Structures are given as structure tokens and as C-alpha cells.
Amino acid sequence: MGSQLGNAGLLLVNTLVNIYLFLLMLRFLLQASRADYYNPISQSVVKITQPAVRPFQSFLGPVMGRFDLATLACGLVIKLVAIIAILQIAGYGMAPVDDLAIGAVAALANAILKIYFFALIVMIILSWVAPRASHPGAILIMQLVEPIMAPVRRVIPPLGMLDLSPIVVFIAISLIDGIVVGSLIRAAGIVGALVGL
């Protein structure tokens, strides 16, 4: 009974860490896509993640161009520490350093792909039910997915009312998730079990 409670506790901790990692990667992607910083949702994401990101900003400096390296480094370190702590508590001891690094990178990639996956689903639903929605959430999702949709639209322009670009992007996300992230998770060994949500 005690070990089951312990396992449930570790699973909960891992899930909470992954949710926070999800928010950190959302912050990273909002910056990379130049989404509206003053949008209330952007502000909330920054407010929640700033205490963890601030120490990294002190030595990595402010955001340079599109990419917020401090947020990326913060996500990597938080996931690494969480993996090490969970493995120690679960009694597996210290995993090889390369497995830990691969596992942390896989976790970041997994979070980024999940954000794009869910954002695309919401964008498609919004395009059907409220194509001109002015809600801050709807605007932010459009701003978030536009940088990955625009190059695809240039290659495959909309056919009248039908836009095939989301389907192409979904296929690309699934391939990257299955091939790249899947390979990283397998390469990480026991650490791979702690990657996804």
C-alpha cells in the first residue's frame, strides 16, 4: 500500500513538473512567434514562470531576438532536477548523464509539440464556430500557430474555403513526435518513462 501511494506521489510530482514545463515552453513559443506580450494570457504565463526564469536571465541576459534562451535553459534544468529526484526517491539511483540530458531534451521537444498540437485543434474548431473571434485566447492561438502555418500555406495555398495546411502540419507534428521524440525517449532508457505528460 505504501509503495503504491509513493508511486502515485511520484507520478503526481512528475505530472506537475510537466505542466510547469508546458507553461515554460508556451512562454518560449509565444516569444518566438512574437505573440502580443500584453495579451492577458501572455501576461499570466510570464507571471507564473518568471520566478523560475529570473535566475537564468541574470546570467543568460534578456531575450535576444525571437529566442528566449533563459526560458529554454530553465525548462531544461527543472526537468533534469525532477528526473534525478524522482529516480533517487524511486530507488533507481543515478542514471547516466547522457540519458538524463537526452531525457530532458525529449521532454522539452514533447512539450513544444503538444502545445502546437492542442493549439492547432483549437484553431480548427475556432475557424468553424467563431472565425472572427476577438477573445484574447483566440487571438493568441492564431499568433502562436501562424509562424508554422505560413510556410505551409505558401507551398499549399487554400483551395477556396478549404485550407489544407493544418492537416500537413498535423502530419509533420506526428512524424516529428513519432520519429525524433520517440527515438530520444527510447535512447534515454529508464529516464524516457518520465518524459511525457
Side-chain angles (χ1 to χ4, degrees):
M1 184 70 180
S3 73
Q4 281 181 331
L5 277 174
N7 289 344
L10 290 177
L11 186 66
L12 178 65
V13 168
N14 191 48
T15 303
L16 290 173
V17 168
N18 284 340
I19 289 168
Y20 197 72
L21 189 65
F22 192 88
L23 288 171
L24 282 165
M25 291 307 99
L26 180 58
R27 173 180 172 150
F28 174 77
L29 292 176
L30 289 172
Q31 172 66 37
S33 60
R34 298 204 190 283
D36 179 11
Y37 180 78
Y38 297 101
N39 184 302
I41 296 169
S42 296
Q43 288 289 300
S44 298
V45 169
V46 169
K47 204 172 283 183
I48 292 166
T49 54
Q50 189 57 25
V53 174
R54 190 178 291 114
F56 292 88
Q57 286 174 328
S58 63
F59 65 87
L60 285 172
V63 177
M64 300 280 282
R66 282 176 174 257
F67 299 107
D68 183 358
L69 294 180
T71 300
L72 212 54
C74 176
L76 205 61
V77 169
I78 284 176
K79 189 61 187 179
L80 268 173
V81 170
I83 290 169
I84 292 166
I86 289 168
L87 289 176
Q88 293 293 327
I89 294 163
Y92 287 104
M94 187 67 178
V97 175
D98 54 343
D99 285 2
L100 291 170
I102 292 166
V105 169
L108 263 62
N110 183 53
I112 288 169
L113 290 174
K114 272 195 169 60
I115 289 165
Y116 278 133
F117 181 82
F118 293 130
L120 276 168
I121 289 174
V122 174
M123 187 202 78
I124 290 165
I125 293 167
L126 282 172
S127 70
W128 291 337
V129 297
R132 286 174 182 78
S134 59
H135 186 277
I139 293 166
L140 207 63
I141 283 170
M142 297 304 178
Q143 291 172 340
L144 182 65
V145 297
E146 192 51 35
I148 60 167
M149 300 290 282
V152 179
R153 279 200 198 104
R154 280 197 289 274
V155 178
I156 308 165
L159 305 169
M161 293 290 287
L162 190 64
D163 185 2
L164 298 175
S165 54
I167 296 167
V168 176
V169 175
F170 267 127
I171 292 167
I173 287 171
S174 298
L175 285 172
I176 295 167
D177 191 35
I179 297 167
V180 180
V181 179
S183 299
L184 289 172
I185 289 170
R186 285 188 294 278
I190 186 87
V191 173
L194 302 173
V195 168
L197 266 172

